[in-house]
Amino acid sequence: MNRSIWLCTLLFLGATGTQVIAAPIYITSYPSEANAKVFVTQYKSEANCIVYETPYQSENDPGVWFFTKYKSNARARIYYTQYKSEADLVVYFTKYKSEARCRY
């Protein structure tokens, strides 16, 4: 499976059984510990993934990320990189949940 498709699936579909919940994401300080290196862009047109950040883990829409403080609760660990060329995913954070999606 293509790495970007796998990462989008992992980060966007926080599935547990048949229920889809917000993907719990842990931000790590170590690139070697991360499932994905993420570059945050200011431009929606540059992004592979448009992400909506929620304060509620119970929200059940694809593309919704819930940031957890605990690595053991996370579905995925991400590392923010300053360089787009190093990134596995380029994301844009939106203010609107309806815009959340991933382009492969």
Side-chain angles (χ1 to χ4, degrees), residues 28-89:
T28 182
S29 300
Y30 306 102
S32 61
E33 189 174 69
N35 298 107
K37 293 178 188 172
V38 175
F39 177 79
V40 179
T41 183
Q42 296 179 359
Y43 307 103
K44 196 184 306 184
S45 60
E46 275 186 342
N48 303 90
C49 301
I50 299 172
V51 174
Y52 176 78
E53 181 182 347
T54 182
Y56 309 107
Q57 188 173 0
S58 60
E59 292 212 30
N60 61 357
D61 293 315
V64 177
W65 286 8
F66 169 77
F67 290 96
T68 181
K69 295 179 184 179
Y70 306 104
K71 189 184 341 180
S72 60
N73 293 343
R75 178 162 174 86
R77 295 175 309 277
I78 64 170
Y79 171 79
Y80 285 124
T81 181
Q82 295 180 344
Y83 306 103
K84 186 177 174 184
S85 60
E86 288 181 352
D88 298 312
L89 289 175

Side-chain angles (χ1 to χ4, degrees), residues 12 44 48-51 62-63 97-103:
F12 272 77
K44 196 184 306 184
N48 303 90
C49 301
I50 299 172
V51 174
K97 191 180 348 179
S98 62
E99 289 182 344
R101 60 186 163 84
C102 191
R103 293 181 267 205

Side-chain angles (χ1 to χ4, degrees), residues 7-23:
L7 289 170
C8 285
T9 302
L10 175 69
L11 297 174
F12 272 77
L13 300 177
T16 57
T18 57
Q19 180 185 13
V20 177
I21 59 171

